[in-house]
C-alpha cells in the first residue's frame, strides 16, 4: 500500500516515529515532540459495532435536527451532520489555510490518523491560570478573532474557547471535525459558534462566578462591536429567548446545585439576557 506523503514542514523522523509506536495503545489525542518539532497526533479507531453505532449516531443527529427546527427554524440534515471526523477535518483545514486563516497544517493523514502542526496553548487553560487583566485581554481577543473570522463568511462548528490557541501573540483555531455549519444557514452557523464560545467561557472550571459572567458579557459586546451583523444577532436573540425562558423556572429548583454545567447554563442565559432588552 502506498504511504501518504510527509508534509515538508513535518519533522524528518515523523514516519519512523509513527511506525515505531503501538497504535492500539495510543490516546485519541497526543502532544509529542519529534526531532525537536512539536506536533499533535489525533487518532480515531473504528467502533466494534459499526452498524449499531451509526444507527445510534443517526438517531441523535435526527433528534438534534428536530430540536433545531422546532426552536431555531432550521433543520440540519442528519446525513450531513454525520460526515465528520478526521477526514472532514483535514479537508476543512486545507480549505481554511488556502483562505488565509490561522489554522494548523496537516503534516500526515491516513485512515483514522491525523498529524497536525502544533499552534500553541489553548485559551481555556490560559484564562484559568492568568491574572485578571490577562483574562480580560484573552476574552476580548477571542471575541474579536471570532468576529473577524465570521466577517469573512467562515464558520467553525467547534468554537469553544478550548479550540482557540495562542502562539507568538496570535490566535489560532483548532478542531474542525464537526460538520454542523455546512447544513445550517450562514447566520445560524455563526450564531451557534458565538453561543459555543460564550457557553464555554461561562462554564470554565476554577473560574469564579463573577469572573465568568464578566468575561462572557465582555466577549458578547466585543463580538458585535467588530461584527455587527443583524442576521447573526437575530439568530442569537432567538436562541437567547429559548434559554432565558427555560432558565427562569429552573433557577428556583437548581439554582444552588454546585454543578459546573448547571451553573454554566444559568450564566450563559444571564449573559444573553441583554439581547432581549435591545431593539
Amino acid at each position: 500500500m502506498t504511504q501518504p506523503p510527509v508534509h515538508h514542514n513535518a519533522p524528518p523522523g515523523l514516519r519512523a516515529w509513527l511506525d515505531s509506536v503501538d497504535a492500539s495503545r495510543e490516546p485519541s489525542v497526543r502532544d509529542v515532540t519529534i526531532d525537536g518539532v512539536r506536533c499533535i497526533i489525533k487518532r480515531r479507531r473504528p467502533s466494534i459495532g459499526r452498524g449499531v453505532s451509526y444507527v445510534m449516531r443517526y438517531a441523535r443527529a435526527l433528534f438534534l435536527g428536530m430540536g433545531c427546527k422546532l426552536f431555531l427554524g432550521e433543520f440540519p440534515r442528519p446525513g450531513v451532520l454525520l460526515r465528520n471526523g478526521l477526514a472532514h477535518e483535514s479537508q476543512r483545514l486545507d480549505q481554511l489555510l488556502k483562505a488565509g486563516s490561522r489554522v494548523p497544517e496537516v503534516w500526515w493523514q491516513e485512515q483514522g490518523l491525523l498529524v497536525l502542526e502544533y499552534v500553541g496553548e489553548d485559551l481555556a487553560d490560559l484564562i484559568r491560570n492568568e491574572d485578571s487583566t490577562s483574562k480580560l485581554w484573552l476574552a476580548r481577543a477571542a471575541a474579536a478573532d471570532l468576529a473577524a473570522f465570521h466577517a469573512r463568511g467562515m464558520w467553525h462548528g467547534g468554537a469553544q474557547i478550548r479550540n482557540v490557541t495562542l502562539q507568538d501573540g496570535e490566535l489560532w483555531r483548532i478542531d474542525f471535525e464537526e460538520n454542523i455549519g455546512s447544513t445550517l444557514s450562514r447566520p445560524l452557523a455563526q450564531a451557534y459558534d458565538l453561543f459555543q464560545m460564550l457557553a464555554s467561557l461561562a462554564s470554565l472550571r476554577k473560574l469564579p462566578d463573577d469572573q465568568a459572567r464578566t468575561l462572557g458579557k465582555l466577549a458578547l459586546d466585543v463580538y458585535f462591536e467588530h461584527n455587527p451583523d443583524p442576521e447573526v444577532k437575530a439568530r442569537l436573540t432567538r436562541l437567547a429567548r429559548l434559554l432565558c425562558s427555560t432558565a427562569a423556572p429552573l433557577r428556583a429548583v437548581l439554582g444552588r446545585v454546585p454543578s459546573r454545567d448547571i451553573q454554566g447554563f444559568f450564566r450563559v442565559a444571564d449573559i444573553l439576557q441583554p439581547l432581549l432588552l435591545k431593539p
Side-chain angles (χ1 to χ4, degrees), residues 29-44:
V29 180
R30 183 175 178 185
D31 180 341
V32 62
T33 300
I34 303 170
D35 295 332
V37 180
R38 199 168 176 182
C39 51
I40 302 297
I41 314 289
K42 299 182 73 170
R43 298 180 185 272
R44 296 293 181 269

Side-chain angles (χ1 to χ4, degrees), residues 143-171:
D145 184 79
L146 183 63
F149 188 68
H150 285 172
R152 297 172 58 207
M154 310 290 191
W155 55 271
H156 190 146
Q160 296 94 331
I161 207 72
R162 69 174 182 271
N163 290 333
V164 182
T165 66
L166 179 68
Q167 179 171 254
D168 299 329
E170 291 188 314
L171 297 186

Side-chain angles (χ1 to χ4, degrees), residues 109-148:
Q109 180 194 3
E110 59 185 84
Q111 182 67 34
L113 173 67
L114 209 57
V115 181
L116 302 174
E117 172 190 15
Y118 173 81
V119 291
E121 297 182 71
D122 74 73
L123 258 60
D125 279 341
L126 291 172
I127 289 174
R128 277 193 292 264
N129 297 314
E130 293 290 341
D131 59 41
S132 297
T133 301
S134 296
K135 283 179 170 62
L136 293 171
W137 183 88
L138 290 169
R140 178 181 289 277
D145 184 79
L146 183 63

